[in-house]
């Protein structure tokens, strides 16, 4: 029998493969529209109980999201997800840092005691970076309040005098539950800038300051919980129930089970245990197929999609396994939609156009690492290479990142001393980008443009109304700037960095 006329079989059948697409394979089909991009509403749900004003998350990576970037993400309406390469105390204090950053009532109040000298209190306030302090006795009962204005004349003529002499003893206080508006009214009426919060025995429990209220006003679009604190996401390993409980207790709003292959059945068992042990929403990932979604959607508050699309990922070349991201998102979203569970598209997004394509494929929000790694708020310092500024960006499965944490995300044990890690990521650098606010503005603005081209006012409407066309490689070339020499860098486009 001739070779090519052999009957079909088990292995030749495998070659009749389904097609899987990614960002560059598709474009959004333009449609009739009355939607002006600036008016498109990008608010969304990131998990069953958590809403965002901006459908963007920063990746749980040690060169992307620690407290500082998470605070800025939430202030801009999105969500930062703290990475796992921190020990437990560190991550708990980062969660507390985010939750406290914009709280109305300050809890770590700098206080003075009545028998300190004015000089001591002046130095103490300067060290702590505050310009006033409630004066309390040993039981925390509020006796007065002292400010820079009270202190100034004493510094000239009597800096050894006791605080009780210099303080204002008629203190205007409020109780727990005071709103920003009520506190402002008190400040206005009594011409003061601080209102101590007391319990029913006049003991200090917190402080509201004019500065904090004004700062909160600046971020009208911020993603906040019911108490007005910024939202905070945290990545935990599938077998880290204790860590999950600790960050949950610290106030995390969404936990992300962080695993490169969440369709591993042990990972699913671990994720289910964690879900049963915490109050926060639990998003499970990463997955890339409908079958994985079916196995997880019953208990998860969100599904995160991405097997190998990330800019620093080498999972697909190292393991030979993966799923082009547009198809992966669509497969998972088909299942998630039947259960009303949100989907997050994680990895591979280079441009705002990729982000809105991911939403068209069925995601409710997108997660990005490389896009934010070059910003001021990302951990690490700016380095200069041949006169150009960069920040470090590395995969969590790179050798360096695994040495700083562990290989758990990749379901790998730590190697014995003589062995080497088998990495699934690389260590790299990203051009320095300036503020996160500027980057996010470009990203969200581009996504809104996409909504305008499709004629959808909201994310749910866009998910329903958008359609794809398939793009040839000639079409891809046509999409990029071509046949020109770019003379001025655009803030939202650079053809491959
Ligand atoms: P981008 O493309 O935004 O992707 O830089 C960020 C996402 O990539 C995933 N990630 C990795 N995947 N090896 C991988 O295969 C790695 O070392 C690695 N580190 C991060 C992760 O999902 C992240 O959000």
């Amino acid at each position: 029998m001739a070779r090519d006329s052999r009957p079909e079989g088990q292995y030749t059948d495998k070659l009749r493969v389904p097609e899987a697409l990614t960002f560059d394979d598709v474009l959004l089909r333009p449609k009739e529209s009355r939607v002006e991009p600036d008016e498109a509403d990008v608010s969304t749900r990131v998990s069953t109980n958590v809403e965002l004003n901006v459908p963007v998350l920063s990746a749980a990576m040690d060169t992307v999201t620690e407290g500082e970037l998470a605070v800025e993400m939430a202030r801009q309406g999105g969500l930062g997800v703290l990475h796992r390469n921190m020990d437990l105390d560190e991550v708990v204090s980062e969660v507390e840092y985010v939750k406290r950053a914009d709280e109305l009532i300050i809890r770590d109040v700098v206080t003075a005691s009545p028998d300190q000298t004015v000089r001591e209190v002046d130095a103490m306030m300067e060290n702590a970076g505050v310009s006033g302090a409630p004066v309390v006795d040993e039981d925390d009962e509020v006796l007065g309040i002292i400010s820079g204005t009270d202190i100034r004349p004493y510094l000239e003529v009597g800096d050894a005098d006791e605080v009780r002499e210099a303080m204002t003893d008629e203190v205007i206080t409020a109780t727990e539950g005071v709103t920003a508006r009520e506190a402002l009214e008190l400040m206005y009426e009594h011409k003061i800038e601080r209102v101590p919060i007391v319990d029913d025995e006049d003991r200090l429990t917190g402080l509201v300051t004019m500065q904090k209220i004004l700062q909160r006003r600046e971020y009208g679009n911020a993603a906040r919980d019911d108490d007005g604190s910024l939202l905070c996401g945290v990545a935990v390993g599938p077998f880290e129930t204790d860590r999950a409980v600790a960050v949950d207790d610290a106030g995390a709003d969404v936990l992300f089970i962080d695993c490169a292959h969440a369709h591993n059945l042990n990972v699913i068992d671990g994720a289910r245990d964690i879900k049963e042990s915490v109050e926060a929403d639990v998003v499970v990932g990463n997955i890339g197929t409908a079958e994985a979604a079916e196995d997880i959607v019953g208990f998860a508050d969100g599904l995160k999609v991405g097997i190998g699309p990330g800019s620093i990922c080498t999972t697909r070349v190292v393991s030979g396994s993966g799923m082009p991201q547009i198809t992966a998102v669509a497969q998972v979203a088909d299942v998630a939609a039947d259960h009303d569970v949100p989907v997050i598209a994680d990895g591979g997004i280079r441009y705002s156009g990729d982000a809105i394509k991911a939403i068209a494929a069925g995601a409710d929000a997108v997660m990005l690492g490389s896009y934010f790694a070059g910003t001021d708020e990302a951990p690490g310092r700016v380095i200069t290479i041949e006169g150009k500024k960069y920040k470090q960006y590395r995969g969590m499965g790179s050798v360096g990142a695994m040495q700083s944490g562990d290989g758990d995300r990749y379901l790998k044990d730590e190697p014995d001393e003589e062995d080497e890690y088998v990495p699934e990521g690389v260590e790299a650098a990203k051009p320095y980008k300036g503020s996160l606010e500027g980057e996010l503005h470009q990203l969200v603005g581009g996504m809104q443009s996409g909504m305008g081209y499709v004629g959808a006012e909201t994310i749910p409407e866009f998910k329903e109304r958008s359609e794809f066309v398939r793009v040839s490689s000639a079409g891809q070339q046509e999409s990029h700037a071509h046949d020109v020499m770019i003379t001025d860098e655009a803030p939202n486009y650079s053809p491959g960095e």
Side-chain angles (χ1 to χ4, degrees):
M1 197 187 288
R3 245 168 201 273
D4 53 4
S5 60
R6 277 177 189 241
E8 287 165 9
Q10 180 186 351
Y11 297 107
T12 44
D13 267 0
K14 274 194 205 171
L15 300 180
R16 272 182 275 281
V17 286
E19 189 173 53
L21 304 175
T22 193
F23 299 106
D24 280 350
D25 295 320
V26 292
L27 277 171
L28 295 169
R29 189 164 176 273
K31 288 188 157 181
E32 183 182 272
S33 174
R34 275 194 195 280
V35 177
E36 306 305 336
D38 287 345
E39 286 159 18
D41 172 1
V42 288
S43 60
T44 194
R45 249 181 355 149
V46 72
S47 59
T48 13
N49 300 298
V50 177
E51 290 179 8
L52 300 179
N53 292 325
V54 161
V56 180
L57 291 79
S58 64
M61 299 173 71
D62 63 4
T63 46
V64 181
T65 312
E66 291 184 352
E68 196 183 337
L69 191 130
V71 164
E72 194 57 22
M73 279 299 292
R75 282 180 175 162
Q76 301 300 329
L79 185 71
V81 183
L82 300 172
H83 68 83
R84 285 172 59 193
N85 273 5
M86 292 184 246
D87 63 32
L88 185 58
D89 291 347
E90 269 178 291
V91 73
V92 164
S93 86
E94 291 291 277
V95 174
E96 288 168 352
Y97 171 76
V98 178
K99 296 305 292 180
R100 288 186 175 164
D102 273 7
E103 70 190 346
L104 176 62
I105 301 179
I106 300 167
R107 299 293 171 185
D108 285 337
V109 186
V110 176
T111 58
S113 77
D115 45 13
Q116 273 177 297
T117 66
V118 168
R119 191 188 320 127
E120 282 165 351
V121 167
D122 182 54
M124 180 188 81
M125 293 198 322
E126 192 174 331
N127 275 345
V130 297
S131 54
V135 182
V136 295
D137 66 13
E138 55 281 1
D139 297 323
D140 275 344
E141 197 180 319
V142 179
L143 307 175
I145 192 157
I146 188 152
S147 71
T149 322
D150 299 323
I151 288 176
R152 224 158 287 135
Y154 282 81
L155 289 181
E156 296 298 325
V157 290
D159 67 354
D161 287 0
E162 289 187 345
V163 164
R164 71 176 86 247
E165 305 286 326
M167 71 186 191
T168 304
D169 46 17
E170 276 175 29
V171 196
I172 307 299
T173 60
T175 50
E176 292 289 335
V178 69
T179 64
R181 176 92 221 152
E182 288 161 354
L184 267 183
E185 276 166 10
L186 282 176
M187 290 174 188
Y188 175 74
E189 197 183 323
H190 299 280
K191 301 193 172 35
I192 51 176
E193 294 204 346
R194 286 166 207 86
V195 177
I197 306 299
V198 293
D199 63 13
D200 44 16
E201 283 167 32
D202 243 6
R203 281 187 306 236
L204 186 77
T205 58
L207 182 73
V208 178
T209 67
M210 172 88 80
Q211 193 196 7
K212 259 276 145 88
I213 294 178
L214 297 182
Q215 186 188 352
R216 280 160 54 99
R217 278 214 181 149
E218 242 181 78
Y219 304 108
N221 208 29
R224 299 185 189 280
D225 63 19
D226 293 343
D227 297 331
S229 293
L230 297 174
L231 294 183
C232 180
V234 185
V236 296
F239 311 115
E240 293 182 327
T241 308
D242 291 350
R243 190 180 179 91
V245 169
V247 294
D248 185 46
D249 289 346
D253 300 280
V254 190
L255 302 191
F256 292 76
I257 306 297
D258 186 46
C259 182
H261 182 34
H263 202 192
N264 173 304
L265 298 182
N266 296 324
V267 169
I268 295 182
D269 291 344
R272 202 181 266 116
D273 275 356
I274 288 178
K275 169 68 190 159
E276 279 163 16
S277 314
V278 298
E279 270 179 34
D281 275 5
V282 175
V283 171
V284 181
N286 278 7
I287 56 171
T289 63
E291 303 91 279
E294 296 280 5
D295 287 352
I296 295 170
V297 75
F299 69 91
D301 297 304
L303 299 174
K304 190 151 71 70
V305 183
I307 309 285
S311 57
I312 34 48
C313 299
T314 54
T315 290
R316 293 183 190 168
V317 284
V318 169
S319 71
S321 176
M323 192 70 166
Q325 185 70 339
I326 287 287
T327 296
V329 170
Q331 283 208 4
V332 171
D334 272 348
V335 177
D338 290 343
H339 293 78
D340 198 25
V341 169
V343 172
I344 299 156
D346 173 17
I349 292 169
R350 303 148 301 170
Y351 301 108
S352 47
D354 295 342
I356 198 68
K357 286 178 196 176
I359 304 249
D364 296 272
V366 290
M367 177 179 262
L368 300 90
S370 78
Y371 197 90
F372 297 127
T375 61
D376 289 323
E377 291 83 352
R381 59 192 180 85
V382 177
I383 45 179
T384 306
I385 304 171
E386 290 175 0
K388 211 172 166 228
K389 290 177 173 174
Y390 296 87
K391 287 190 90 163
Q392 187 199 16
Y393 180 48
R394 66 182 184 186
M396 291 301 276
S398 66
V399 171
M402 288 207 276
Q403 277 166 347
S404 308
D406 58 43
D408 191 25
R409 184 171 198 270
Y410 299 86
L411 303 169
K412 296 270 171 81
D413 291 332
E414 206 159 308
D416 299 331
E417 251 171 56
E418 65 275 16
D419 287 340
E420 287 190 344
Y421 280 100
V422 180
E424 292 186 26
V426 294
E427 300 185 54
K430 283 290 292 180
Y432 168 68
K433 289 286 175 58
S435 76
L436 177 116
E437 185 182 0
E439 284 298 277
L440 201 56
H441 170 75
Q442 291 299 334
L443 182 68
V444 174
M447 293 173 80
Q448 287 176 305
S449 294
M451 293 169 75
Y453 279 106
V454 167
E457 252 170 7
T458 64
I459 295 278
E461 194 188 334
F462 176 78
K463 285 174 66 175
E464 188 149 337
R465 191 172 154 82
S466 50
E467 288 172 25
F468 287 120
V469 290
R470 182 72 199 270
V471 184
S472 66
S473 63
Q476 282 169 29
Q477 269 182 32
E478 187 184 63
S479 297
H480 282 270
H482 56 87
D483 301 306
V484 291
M485 187 180 78
I486 295 177
T487 53
D488 291 86
E489 226 173 90
N492 56 357
Y493 178 73
S494 55
E497 272 151 355

